[in-house]
Amino acid sequence: MSPLIQLIRRASVLPVIVASVALFALMVMTFCDVILRSMFNAPIEAATELTRILMAILVFSVLPIVSTTNGHIAVDLTDGIFSRLHLSRVRDLIIYVISGVMLYWPVQRVWVLAERARDYGDVTEYLSIPTYLIGWFITLSVAVTAVVMIVTGLLRFFAPHTLSEAAR
């Protein structure tokens, strides 16, 4: 299983790179927009739509990584109880699997909305970027997150040593 874990670890770098590039592009665009707006009274017209697109790419590209590495905000009021009763692995299994299964609904809805935008020929205002492409990206990211959460929950319950090996 070690080669599979190494492959997954190497593949998990791709979403982080995509998010980093999106964040850098957003930073450069915002800097240039502020300079052009302040000094030359000539803002970047498409800055708003580019900001929306880049923020969607940024958030949804790292969603699988955040979900796998426990990066979500969590309240640990009941952790002591679950630890004393040795039910932490059962809790993690239930939470990860149910959360992963519940993501089916957003995947299905965003896919329908993206297909509707494609059928209507919806594009962004200034750059004429087809909006269904962003919808497809969000759908793919959330679907990958759902699969990753289910697999992570099962691994945390049945083979927790594989996850600690992946952390090294």
Side-chain angles (χ1 to χ4, degrees):
M1 189 144 198
S2 181
L4 178 62
I5 291 173
Q6 289 177 353
L7 176 68
I8 291 170
R9 286 180 66 199
R10 288 197 177 119
S12 69
V13 172
L14 180 63
V16 175
I17 291 172
V18 170
S20 299
V21 169
L23 182 61
F24 184 76
L26 184 63
M27 179 185 66
V28 169
M29 183 198 59
T30 303
F31 174 78
C32 292
D33 186 42
V34 168
I35 295 299
L36 289 171
R37 182 183 310 268
S38 299
M39 296 180 79
F40 303 109
N41 199 23
I44 298 173
E45 298 263 336
T48 302
E49 74 184 35
L50 284 173
T51 299
R52 290 178 183 158
I53 291 169
L54 290 171
M55 286 301 291
I57 291 170
L58 178 65
V59 168
F60 287 100
S61 63
V62 294
L63 189 60
I65 304 298
V66 169
S67 299
T68 302
T69 59
N70 261 344
H72 292 292
I73 296 172
V75 178
D76 57 357
L77 297 175
T78 59
D79 281 357
I81 296 168
F82 282 101
S83 293
R84 279 194 301 274
L85 297 174
H86 304 288
L87 293 175
S88 296
R89 286 174 46 193
V90 174
R91 177 203 58 207
D92 290 346
L93 170 71
I94 292 169
I95 288 173
Y96 273 101
V97 170
I98 289 175
S99 296
V101 169
M102 284 181 0
L103 285 176
Y104 168 77
W105 186 74
V107 166
Q108 188 264 338
R109 291 304 309 151
V110 174
W111 179 262
V112 166
L113 293 173
E115 285 301 308
R116 185 182 304 160
R118 186 174 66 88
D119 290 343
Y120 291 160
D122 290 347
V123 294
T124 59
E125 184 177 356
Y126 292 105
L127 300 176
S128 297
I129 298 170
T131 57
Y132 71 88
L133 294 175
I134 294 102
W136 282 357
F137 178 78
I138 292 170
T139 301
L140 177 67
S141 296
V142 175
V144 168
T145 302
V147 170
V148 162
M149 288 187 81
I150 292 170
V151 170
T152 300
L154 294 172
L155 285 175
R156 282 184 185 268
F157 186 75
F158 293 110
H161 64 280
T162 58
L163 294 176
S164 62
E165 182 180 318
R168 284 187 227 153

